[in-house]
Amino acid sequence: MGNPHQDSAQVQNQIKDGVFFNTVVQGNNVTLRLPREITPALTGMPAPSSTFTGRDAVLDLLVEELRPGRRADTGPLAHVVAGLPGVGKTELVLQVAHRASREGWFPGGILFIDLHGYDGDRHISPDRALSSLIQALGIPDHDVPDDLQGRARLYSSVLSAYADRGRRILVIVDNARDDSQAGPFLLTDSRVPVLVTSRHTLTGLKNARTHDLGVLDPASAVELLRRDLRQARDPDDSRVDDAPESAARIAHLCGHLPLALRIVAALLADLPARPLASMVDALGDARSRLQRLSRGDLAVRTAFELSYHHLSDAQARLFRLLPINAGPDISTDSAGRLADLPSDEADILLGALARAHLVEPHAKNYGRWRLHDLLRLYADEECALREDAHERRSATSRLLDHYLTTAAAADTHVDVDTEATARSPRFRDRDAALCWLDEERHSLLATAQAGPTLERPDALFGLHNALVHYLSWRRHWSDYEQLSQAALDAARSSEFPHLRVLELTFLNNLGLAQLELRRFDDAVRSYQSCLAQARLAEDTDSTAMALSNLGRAYEELHEPEKAVEVLQEALTLPPPDGNIRARGMTFTNLGRALHKLRRLDEAAEAFTEDIAICRAVADLSGEAIARNNLGLAMRDMGLLDAAVDHHRGALETARTAKDNHTAALAQANLAVEMAASGRTSGVIDMLEASLAALEELGDSYMATQCRMHLGHLKYMEGRSEEAISFISEAAEASHAIGDRRTEGRAFRDLGTYLLQEGRLVEAIEATRRAIPLYHSFGDMGGKGDSLLILGISLDATKRTDEAIQIFQAAVAAFKEFGDSEKLNLAMGCLKELEDLSES
């Protein structure tokens, strides 16, 4: 530069190729030229990976944003790709740059700089980075200003000058730690886009849009493993294809994190004979997984450390404590209890951890947070290293006590019939309590099961007691079973001999879950074990309870005689703990068994007894269940009007009780009875509403029954295609849940409708599937019906010899079943064909 003290009139700035640097370049007779091109060596941009996969949506979006002229007036001038360490931020922007460069959108080239924002040893300050970029742009070192502001203005001017000359440039700023490090590289010229990567969500940058990058989906994670392995070792390496389950397991153990997957691929490539199962075993031990995910300069733990070391003390402490929560996520309030902090302080710290992508905020439920699986392992290691045993125990106790007391408070609201004075003031109403339980369910279950290993069995038993009513209400029967089994195992453990007295309660609850999951044989075994122990202990209350539940299990197994026997015995004993409500349930169980035996008057009496008990103790839900069952008995007694009245009453009572499950059943039964009595208006809508409710509640069995009824009603209305579709869906659904009885009925009815529609080949196929199902559970009447339909279908297709054999089998089935009317029909069909055959 020239002498700064010369008269300004003597100063000349001669700019070649149309570059004007305004007041940034000052001096006498300055001549600057644009270089012919920015070479790759100067830009320092790494080559993109050829194994990139799984980011099509965000890749396409970012490429489109770089299109020349794209949203020049209103679109963002920069895009920030943020995400947790190792998630593939840099690789994504390299792929974007490569695609855009191939399109010819950046004839001036691409500027790339890695700021190493999280590496204390290699961290590059903005002024130093700008100096490097300006020199890469062809500006001599002696023309670069000394101050940050001057360098930023020169950088901006040069890039705009390139754009003026049709030599548009893309800028990539990699690994920026915060807004202040990234900000100087952003321009106001829409022709010069900037891509930034950061482990932090940078929301303070003007005219910039942030794209949070998550881990790969499972299929893409496996594909990345396959591609990396083949590129590194052998294009024909088939280990991933040969062991897809192991590959999927590896991807899961890596948390679908690209960095971890690339390390695993490299480790596998080192040893071509190593099977994937060996890697699964190596990564299976959570205690050593991070140590295994390391090869050469690549290490997952090292990537995490760079982010962790930039946390404040308070942020780092909370991060370390989070893995103490056994559940998949944690609420802000629970995190505060864990760290012994007010909720608002915990919220601030969690927000900072989320911006650093060390925790993930819930996508839909504000105020809940989760750790990536590998970050959880890292945080747990740091906790063991930096927190003493006393603090870990204290944090655990704080969290467990919080869950126990709050769950118990929520439980007081679950039963709509609970006296208001018994409800905890912790929740304003029932909806708030249920909402808390819904949000915390998975964490509560995980905490309960972790209780014994944490030397807090009281957490398991306390949460079991607080949650069983809620889990039953929401019909989370798999969770109910899991919790009951864990409690039973702990009660039987030699470590907690004082808890042995609770074994009968847990056995009973386990049987209930198995019953509702329609695993009736398992339920019978649980209840028989409960009954045997109760009798041995001369525990009358538990004996009555076990007999009542065992009777229901027998009824569900279609053994009504056994059911009636044990239920009548149960009614000879005093109700458990003087609880007449338990006696009422026994009456309903007895009514169901008597109904199955077609002892309809006795069944109605039993249901009526339960209704009276429910009214006496103000159990609205129980009353609705009993009235619904009474309506079914009235239907089979031919009293359709009475059946409709009871189902309507059951529906109203269930709605008052907010028992959505019983309401859905009552509404479905009401619709069926109304249709049977000729009142068809609106019944299909009612059934469809019940079907939707039952599906939402997870009751696949009753939802399938709804489908069957819908199919029949639609056929009655002449909507045959819809009817056949519903019955087909019912057949598939019942097969999926192992309900052979409904599956057999569905295929029989499907065969009937297909026959009536003239679709004979399909009718034959359907009824052939029904016959062995009916045979397997000994229903000769259903088997005979299916054989009859099959014989008629075969006859219609002129397969006379086959039809004769089938009609003979139908005759035998109806003889065994004792249905004289259908026996005569089958014999008539058989005789007609035999006569034709002889003639």
Side-chain angles (χ1 to χ4, degrees):
M1 290 193 181
N3 185 346
H5 299 291
Q6 286 182 323
D7 187 278
S8 61
Q10 303 298 316
V11 176
Q12 292 184 355
N13 289 334
Q14 183 180 3
I15 311 299
K16 299 293 186 181
D17 255 347
V19 183
F20 180 65
F21 300 114
N22 201 8
T23 60
V24 177
V25 181
Q26 299 179 13
N28 188 26
N29 300 323
V30 176
T31 301
L32 299 174
R33 289 183 179 273
L34 292 178
R36 293 181 62 83
E37 62 179 348
I38 301 174
T39 66
L42 288 174
T43 67
M45 176 174 146
S49 170
S50 61
T51 63
F52 180 81
T53 187
R55 306 289 195 190
D56 291 346
V58 67
L59 175 63
D60 291 343
L61 184 151
L62 288 172
V63 169
E64 184 61 25
E65 289 289 339
L66 300 184
R67 183 184 296 276
R70 170 75 171 170
R71 301 174 64 183
D73 297 328
T74 60
L77 303 180
H79 293 270
V80 181
V81 177
L84 65 98
V87 81
K89 303 177 291 294
T90 300
E91 183 57 44
L92 174 63
V93 298
L94 293 177
Q95 296 289 335
V96 171
H98 184 67
R99 279 256 302 263
S101 180
R102 277 202 323 245
E103 295 290 337
W105 294 347
F106 297 99
I110 298 171
L111 281 178
F112 178 97
I113 189 162
D114 187 346
L115 299 181
H116 299 287
Y118 299 87
D119 189 332
D121 295 332
R122 296 192 293 168
H123 174 274
I124 300 176
S125 63
D127 59 338
R128 181 178 154 208
L130 282 170
S131 177
S132 297
L133 291 184
I134 290 168
Q135 291 177 53
L137 288 166
I139 307 304
D141 181 56
H142 60 78
D143 289 327
V144 177
D146 294 330
D147 63 301
L148 174 62
Q149 186 178 25
R151 290 179 178 183
R153 288 205 293 249
L154 177 58
Y155 158 82
S156 178
S157 296
V158 172
L159 287 171
S160 292
Y162 271 90
D164 289 340
R165 301 295 293 171
R167 295 169 66 183
R168 189 168 177 250
I169 291 172
L170 171 65
V171 179
I172 298 176
V173 180
D174 196 27
N175 277 315
R177 193 176 81 192
D178 51 31
D179 296 338
S180 63
Q181 193 182 23
F185 300 93
L186 275 61
L187 291 85
T188 57
D189 190 334
S190 62
R191 298 171 301 171
V192 187
V194 181
L195 298 177
V196 181
T197 72
S198 178
R199 297 181 181 192
H200 278 72
T201 298
L202 307 182
T203 55
L205 298 175
K206 292 183 178 179
N207 297 319
R209 176 176 297 160
T210 297
H211 307 266
D212 285 324
L213 196 63
V215 297
L216 294 170
D217 63 81
S220 297
V222 171
E223 180 60 22
L224 179 61
L225 183 64
R226 176 189 290 107
R227 292 184 182 188
D228 266 19
L229 187 54
R230 287 180 171 178
Q231 182 192 58
R233 168 58 64 176
D234 179 357
D236 296 322
D237 193 311
S238 63
R239 279 179 282 179
V240 170
D241 294 327
D242 293 342
E245 292 184 2
S246 293
R249 182 63 181 157
I250 289 171
H252 174 75
L253 292 170
C254 289
H256 305 116
L257 187 70
L259 173 61
L261 291 162
R262 292 192 185 282
I263 291 171
V264 168
L267 292 170
L268 288 167
D270 289 339
L271 300 168
R274 182 175 189 176
L276 265 60
S278 167
M279 184 61 71
V280 172
D281 292 340
L283 297 176
D285 187 348
R287 295 168 299 180
S288 62
R289 191 175 305 156
L290 289 179
Q291 181 180 349
R292 295 276 189 177
L293 291 173
S294 173
R295 181 183 179 275
D297 294 335
L298 293 177
V300 171
R301 181 188 278 114
T302 301
F304 291 166
E305 284 173 349
L306 291 175
S307 290
Y308 173 75
H309 289 157
H310 287 281
L311 298 177
S312 70
D313 290 344
Q315 292 165 1
R317 175 176 175 268
L318 178 57
F319 174 71
R320 292 193 297 268
L321 293 177
L322 287 176
I324 289 175
N325 179 57
D329 60 8
I330 192 169
S331 70
T332 301
D333 186 39
S334 298
R337 301 301 179 96
L338 174 68
D340 200 19
L341 295 171
S343 185
D344 57 346
E345 287 188 31
D347 185 54
I348 293 170
L349 295 175
L350 287 163
L353 291 173
R355 287 190 294 277
H357 290 89
L358 292 177
V359 301
E360 300 172 33
H362 195 283
K364 297 180 181 178
N365 195 348
Y366 174 73
R368 299 200 68 81
W369 318 82
R370 72 175 295 273
L371 285 166
H372 181 272
D373 291 347
L374 296 180
L375 276 170
R376 175 184 283 272
L377 294 177
Y378 176 72
D380 196 40
E381 287 183 2
E382 288 296 311
C383 185
L385 183 66
R386 301 178 188 275
E387 304 290 342
D388 61 37
H390 173 73
E391 172 55 17
R392 295 198 301 273
R393 284 195 299 270
S394 296
T396 301
S397 291
R398 287 193 299 267
L399 183 64
L400 266 58
D401 291 343
H402 164 64
Y403 281 148
L404 277 167
T405 56
T406 314
D411 182 49
T412 65
H413 290 266
V414 173
D415 189 346
V416 73
D417 298 320
T418 301
E419 292 289 338
T421 54
R423 295 174 189 152
S424 168
R426 167 68 176 77
F427 295 97
R428 67 177 182 275
D429 56 26
R430 184 172 185 269
D431 288 342
L434 288 172
C435 180
W436 185 85
L437 288 166
D438 288 340
E439 291 178 353
E440 296 289 359
R441 172 166 63 101
H442 296 296
S443 286
L444 293 172
L445 290 167
T447 298
Q449 293 178 80
T453 61
L454 297 172
E455 299 180 354
R456 286 288 304 270
D458 63 301
L460 170 57
F461 302 127
L463 287 172
H464 172 276
N465 295 337
L467 293 177
V468 288
H469 194 186
Y470 158 75
L471 293 173
S472 171
W473 190 266
R474 287 295 201 218
R475 300 191 62 77
H476 296 311
W477 293 113
S478 293
D479 293 340
Y480 195 119
E481 180 189 28
Q482 194 175 17
L483 186 59
S484 299
Q485 185 66 64
L488 178 62
D489 291 343
R492 288 173 167 173
S493 168
S494 59
E495 296 180 49
F496 312 112
H498 60 291
L499 300 173
R500 188 80 180 190
V501 294
L502 299 174
E503 183 178 355
L504 292 178
T505 298
F506 302 141
L507 259 175
N508 179 68
N509 288 345
L510 178 62
L512 174 60
Q514 292 164 338
L515 197 64
E516 294 292 345
L517 290 167
R518 304 191 67 77
R519 299 209 324 264
F520 303 127
D521 290 325
D522 290 340
V524 165
R525 282 189 286 271
S526 293
Y527 288 136
Q528 285 176 335
S529 177
C530 185
L531 178 61
Q533 293 185 44
R535 282 178 165 157
L536 185 64
E538 298 182 348
D539 182 342
T540 306
D541 288 349
S542 296
T543 299
M545 175 183 65
L547 284 168
S548 179
N549 291 325
L550 180 59
R552 184 184 164 197
Y554 280 141
E555 181 267 319
E556 292 283 11
L557 274 173
H558 296 273
E559 298 182 23
E561 294 87 355
K562 283 186 179 180
V564 169
E565 181 182 349
V566 298
L567 289 164
Q568 287 177 336
E569 182 185 353
L571 288 171
T572 66
L573 299 172
D577 299 319
N579 179 4
I580 63 169
R581 180 67 199 96
R583 191 175 189 84
M585 292 185 210
T586 303
F587 272 117
T588 278
N589 290 341
L590 177 61
R592 287 163 60 99
L594 290 167
H595 190 169
K596 209 159 256 184
L597 289 169
R598 312 305 293 173
R599 293 160 59 178
L600 300 177
D601 289 337
E602 294 174 79
E605 289 176 11
F607 293 135
T608 302
E609 289 281 356
D610 189 17
I611 291 168
I613 291 172
C614 289
R615 287 174 175 169
V617 298
D619 182 356
L620 295 176
S621 182
E623 179 185 347
I625 292 169
R627 288 201 72 179
N628 195 37
N629 281 303
L630 180 57
L632 294 174
M634 292 294 176
R635 175 201 66 190
D636 287 354
M637 293 166 70
L639 303 173
L640 292 182
D641 288 342
V644 166
D645 288 342
H646 282 299
H647 289 314
R648 184 174 283 118
L651 175 59
E652 293 170 358
T653 305
R655 284 175 172 169
T656 302
K658 298 182 179 179
D659 182 349
N660 296 333
H661 183 256
T662 302
L665 297 180
Q667 180 171 262
N669 287 327
L670 176 60
V672 172
E673 308 308 346
M674 288 173 63
S677 60
R679 291 170 278 182
T680 58
S681 177
V683 296
I684 286 182
D685 290 341
M686 293 168 65
L687 274 172
E688 287 179 338
S690 289
L691 173 60
L694 291 167
E695 286 182 327
E696 184 178 353
L697 291 165
D699 190 342
S700 300
Y701 173 76
M702 293 310 301
T704 301
Q705 308 311 307
C706 264
R707 279 195 180 86
M708 293 287 288
H709 288 307
L710 275 166
H712 299 323
L713 288 175
K714 285 178 181 287
Y715 199 83
M716 288 168 58
E717 289 194 348
R719 297 154 67 176
S720 58
E721 286 301 320
E722 291 180 62
I724 289 170
S725 176
F726 268 99
I727 301 296
S728 297
E729 289 173 4
E732 293 173 7
S734 55
H735 179 77
I737 62 175
D739 177 12
R740 293 177 300 163
R741 292 178 183 274
T742 303
E743 185 182 2
R745 195 156 44 88
F747 278 121
R748 179 199 64 187
D749 295 348
L750 188 59
T752 302
Y753 292 153
L754 290 166
L755 172 61
Q756 292 174 0
E757 293 299 307
R759 294 161 62 175
L760 301 176
V761 173
E762 295 170 84
I764 290 169
E765 180 184 352
T767 48
R768 284 197 189 280
R769 295 184 67 176
I771 292 163
L773 289 165
Y774 277 115
H775 183 79
S776 69
F777 49 81
D779 185 341
M780 291 298 104
K783 180 180 178 181
D785 289 340
S786 303
L787 287 164
L788 194 58
I789 298 163
L790 176 58
I792 295 170
S793 302
L794 289 168
D795 180 31
T797 57
K798 308 302 182 185
R799 294 157 70 176
T800 305
D801 290 341
E802 288 182 71
I804 288 173
Q805 292 178 347
I806 295 299
F807 283 134
Q808 288 171 341
V811 167
F814 288 132
K815 280 182 179 178
E816 184 175 346
F817 184 63
D819 189 331
S820 58
E821 182 179 346
K822 290 184 179 176
L823 173 60
N824 291 333
L825 177 59
M827 290 179 67
C829 292
L830 176 60
K831 186 175 187 309
E832 182 179 345
L833 276 188
E834 286 177 337
D835 290 345
L836 285 173
S837 180
E838 290 174 2
S839 64

